[in-house]
Every structure is written in structure tokens, then in C-alpha cells.
Amino acid sequence: MTLSYAILASLELESPCSGYDIVKQFDERISCFWGASHQQVYKELRQLKNQGWVSSETVIQKGRPNKEVYKITHTGLDQLITWINEISEPTVIREQLIIKILVGYLVPTQIIVNELRHRHKIHLGQLMALQLIEFQNYQKPSALGLRDKLQYLALRRGIRYQADWIAWCEEAIKMLEEHEQSLD
Amino acid sequence: MTLSYAILASLELESPCSGYDIVKQFDERISCFWGASHQQVYKELRQLKNQGWVSSETVIQKGRPNKEVYKITHTGLDQLITWINEISEPTVIREQLIIKILVGYLVPTQIIVNELRHRHKIHLGQLMALQLIEFQNYQKPSALGLRDKLQYLALRRGIRYQADWIAWCEEAIKMLEEHEQSLD
DNA sequence: GGTGCCATGTAACGAGTTACATGATTGG
DNA sequence: CCAATCATGTAACTCGTTACATGGCACC
């Protein structure tokens, strides 16, 4: 399961931390390239513990629910490294919007344009958030250590991804609006 | 289920066709934004038929296995249109490579660079295939009818997607190789 | 003679989603 | 006072993958 390696990586980067923390890290850091529900993460953490790839202990808190904090074990680290060494293929993407575009002639063009605007807005918001992180933390990427350079590259992947969606949305909106005008 | 709408859209664009044809269309036309195994598609087609969203008949062939060819029904078309009208959100992506990048310091840099080169090659191959289609079929997009324009926009999404991955791979390889050199 | 295409399917399993449940604390 | 945050979980279900099965034809 790939999720287990994502969790191991998360614990390798920052530990000890709870299932809750891991979900938050997925959401905040790499939301455009990884997502998991808390149910999935908790389930997986229990399984990883059974396998001995992570260890955990209970932290008693007052005023808050107790939490179970996890660390990666050396077995887990070995497994993570083995996994990194395996060549992986691109993920299958199932993007509804592309299907809608293909049969978009079935509805008024404005419906499609609205959907494109909606997507544009989402990606613009995410792009700005990522660019803020870039501005605040990575002014001089070439001066960074390897670890930070890698984090920066992951961030760059996100920035490019969002910018790419935005550019396409604009291209598509323009083409559809010009098409509409040409009908008058 | 979203797959059912992808199938309906496929049948709307081109019908009658068999489960086999639909899988092929997914693979060929929009492989970077949709994928499904034949098992999934056959299963879904049977369910769509039970619901009355598609109809089918058996075509007897000689020298080849018989096939079941499907068409979208008017109920199915209604459902497809209703679905298009609903606003949809971006898909969750689970991209292993980003995880590997984040913890890439655990292995020799060359391992990560190799993986990046592998991805670069894949996306370059797909980009060239898509650009060939663009060159052969869409020389003058502004002159197209709505249906073709939409097909073109879907193609453009694929082209941008591939080009974006390529650009990032190059950026990443460059940064990692320069980092290696700075250590000498 | 082996590989690949056409064409469809079953069965078992694993991954992921949705709905539901709990309960205190903090902040507007 | 309502919403959000912290923190974890169960149960039912759907979706998707993997492995296995069949069998003729065309091409090199």
C-alpha cells in the first residue's frame, strides 16, 4: 500500500507525531499531491504498528483528548528506503472536468465556463498560498542543504501544477467565450 | 460513481461500441486524465444496463469473439447532463514521486535523479504523441465547431500536463546535479 | 512457434469513502 | 451561542486492483 509509505515518510520528516498530525501535514504541505482521510490514516497506523514499522506511545493530555504518538522504527526506515529505490510509475488520474469538457456541447456553454471559473478560483487560491511559502522560506534555493532543497522541489511541483491548471482554465475560457461571440 | 459518467460520455461521443472499445478510448484519447481496467468497465456497463442508462445488443462475429455493443439511452443522456451541471471539485492525487522527493535524502542522490529521468522520459513520450495529434488535427482551432473545440481543449490539458511534468523534472535534475557538484 | 490483438468474464482482496459517534476547549 | 480545533474511533459500503481463465486469428 502506498499510503503506508507516505505515512512512514511523514514520520521520518517529523516525529513523534499523532495520526491527527499526519493528516494535517498531508493537507497543509502536499495537499495537491497527497490526500487521506483520518479514518484511513488511523487504520493504517495500527497496521504499521502490528508490522513493527512504527512504534507508539500514549500521551495523556488534560483539556484535550489523549493522543497516540508514533515514531518510525529502524525496520520501518529500511522498508521506506527499499521502497524509494524501486522505480515507480505515474499515478492514474481520474479528472472529472476533462470528461465534462469532452461532452460539454450537451449543455449551455455558460455552464462549462462557470465550472472553469470555479476551478480557476480554487487553483489560484492554492497557488497563492504556495507562493507565499516559497517567498517566505526559499529566497535562495541554491544555498540550501539537500533536505531543504528536496522540500523546495516538492513545493515547486505544487506551484507548477497549480499555475498550469490556471493557465489552461484561462485558455479554455477565452476559447469558449470567443466561440460564443462568433455566433452573434 | 464517476466511472459511469465517463462511460456514458464515451458512448455519447461514439456509439455503439463495446466495453473493449471504451477501454481503448480511455487509454488512447485521455490516458493522462482517465484510466480504467477492462474488469471495471465491463462490470460498470452491466450495472448501467440494469439501471437502463445504456442499452446493448450482441454482435456475432466470425473469427473473433462475439461482442456486446452499447448505446446510451435517453435516460442515460438525461443523467449525464444532470451530472455535467453539478459543480465538481479537483480530484485527489496520490503521487508517489513527491513522497520520494521529500525523503530523498535517505538514499544516494543518483537514485532520485534516475527516477526523475525515468519520469522525464515517460512524459516526453506522451507529450510527443499528443503534439502529433495536435499538429495533425488542430491546425486552426479557432475555425472549429464547438464539439471539436472542446476536444481540442481536452487535448491541450494533456499537452500542458505533460509539458509541466517535463519542465519540473528538468528543474529538479538540474538542482540536484548542481548540488552534487558543489560538494566536490 | 511465440507474441500481440480481439473480447469478455469470475473471484478474492485491498483501498478508500461516507456516515455516525464522542467530548472538551478555544475564539469570535 | 455557534463554529472550529483537537483527537480517535467503528461499521457499512463502494470502488479499484490483481490474479486467473478462455480461445481464435494475424503477423513475423
Side-chain angles (χ1 to χ4, degrees):
Chain A
M1 175 138 72
T2 316
L3 175 58
S4 47
Y5 297 103
I7 290 174
L8 289 176
S10 198
L11 291 175
E12 158 59 29
L13 286 167
E14 201 172 321
S15 79
C17 67
S18 65
Y20 192 88
D21 295 332
I22 290 169
V23 174
K24 259 184 65 183
Q25 277 181 46
F26 285 166
D27 287 351
E28 284 165 15
R29 277 200 193 187
I30 46 164
S31 66
C32 51
F33 292 111
W34 206 272
S37 63
H38 73 269
Q39 293 94 328
Q40 268 296 109
V41 171
Y42 289 131
K43 205 192 290 179
E44 198 58 32
L45 278 168
R46 273 173 257 145
Q47 211 181 298
L48 286 170
K49 196 181 174 180
N50 286 340
Q51 291 178 330
W53 296 14
V54 303
S55 62
S56 77
E57 54 185 293
T58 309
V59 174
I60 283 117
Q61 301 186 117
K62 34 185 173 180
R64 302 218 161 152
N66 293 343
K67 62 178 172 181
E68 198 70 15
V69 295
Y70 294 87
K71 282 182 196 170
I72 189 169
T73 62
H74 51 270
T75 313
L77 188 56
D78 282 350
Q79 292 296 137
L80 180 59
I81 289 170
T82 303
W83 175 77
I84 298 170
N85 276 280
E86 287 163 15
I87 289 270
S88 56
E89 303 303 316
T91 318
V92 179
I93 296 174
R94 286 169 235 265
E95 187 59 71
Q96 301 183 31
L97 185 50
I98 302 302
I99 308 295
K100 290 191 178 185
I101 291 290
L102 286 170
V103 287
Y105 58 84
L106 293 172
V107 298
T109 304
Q110 200 51 47
I111 297 286
I112 301 296
V113 172
N114 287 344
E115 180 103 16
L116 287 166
R117 284 196 208 286
H118 176 65
R119 284 300 287 263
H120 187 271
K121 200 172 147 191
I122 290 172
H123 294 298
L124 194 58
Q126 295 195 357
L127 177 63
M128 291 192 310
L130 295 177
Q131 280 179 333
L132 183 64
I133 297 173
E134 186 181 31
F135 180 77
Q136 288 177 334
N137 301 286
Y138 302 99
Q139 290 275 357
K140 247 205 168 179
S142 59
L144 300 169
L146 180 58
R147 231 182 115 126
D148 289 325
K149 264 183 188 151
L150 290 163
Q151 297 244 343
Y152 176 66
L153 286 174
L155 179 67
R156 288 289 304 158
R157 185 70 279 250
I159 287 172
R160 280 185 177 281
Y161 177 78
Q162 302 298 347
D164 190 45
W165 266 105
I166 290 165
W168 176 78
C169 284
E170 286 170 3
E171 181 182 340
I173 291 167
K174 195 179 163 222
M175 178 169 268
L176 293 178
E177 287 190 335
E178 281 176 3
H179 180 86
E180 284 292 274
Q181 279 161 22
S182 73
L183 300 179
D184 301 337
Chain B
M1 173 133 81
T2 316
L3 174 59
S4 46
Y5 297 105
I7 291 174
L8 290 177
S10 197
L11 290 175
E12 158 57 30
L13 286 167
E14 200 173 321
S15 78
C17 65
S18 65
Y20 192 89
D21 295 332
I22 290 169
V23 173
K24 259 184 63 183
Q25 277 181 46
F26 285 166
D27 287 350
E28 284 165 15
R29 277 200 195 186
I30 46 165
S31 68
C32 53
F33 292 111
W34 206 272
S37 62
H38 71 271
Q39 293 92 331
Q40 267 298 108
V41 171
Y42 289 132
K43 206 192 290 179
E44 198 58 32
L45 278 168
R46 272 173 258 146
Q47 210 181 299
L48 286 170
K49 196 181 174 181
N50 285 340
Q51 290 177 331
W53 296 14
V54 302
S55 62
S56 77
E57 54 185 294
T58 309
V59 176
I60 284 118
Q61 303 186 117
K62 33 185 172 178
R64 298 217 166 154
N66 293 344
K67 61 179 173 180
E68 198 69 17
V69 295
Y70 294 87
K71 281 182 196 173
I72 189 167
T73 61
H74 51 270
T75 314
L77 188 57
D78 282 352
Q79 292 296 135
L80 181 59
I81 288 169
T82 304
W83 174 77
I84 299 170
N85 276 280
E86 287 163 16
I87 288 271
S88 56
E89 303 303 317
T91 316
V92 179
I93 295 173
R94 286 171 236 263
E95 186 59 70
Q96 302 183 30
L97 185 50
I98 301 302
I99 307 295
K100 291 191 177 186
I101 291 290
L102 287 170
V103 288
Y105 58 84
L106 293 172
V107 298
T109 305
Q110 200 50 50
I111 298 287
I112 302 296
V113 172
N114 287 345
E115 180 104 18
L116 287 166
R117 285 195 207 286
H118 176 65
R119 283 301 286 262
H120 187 271
K121 199 172 146 191
I122 290 171
H123 293 299
L124 193 59
Q126 295 194 357
L127 177 63
M128 292 191 311
L130 295 177
Q131 279 178 335
L132 182 64
I133 298 172
E134 186 181 31
F135 180 77
Q136 287 177 335
N137 302 286
Y138 303 99
Q139 290 274 357
K140 246 202 167 181
S142 60
L144 300 169
L146 179 58
R147 230 181 117 127
D148 290 325
K149 265 183 187 151
L150 290 164
Q151 297 244 345
Y152 176 66
L153 286 174
L155 178 67
R156 288 289 304 158
R157 184 70 278 256
I159 288 172
R160 280 186 178 281
Y161 178 78
Q162 303 296 349
D164 190 45
W165 266 104
I166 290 165
W168 176 79
C169 285
E170 287 171 2
E171 180 183 341
I173 291 168
K174 195 178 162 223
M175 178 169 268
L176 293 178
E177 287 190 335
E178 280 175 2
H179 180 84
E180 284 291 276
Q181 280 162 20
S182 73
L183 299 179
D184 300 337

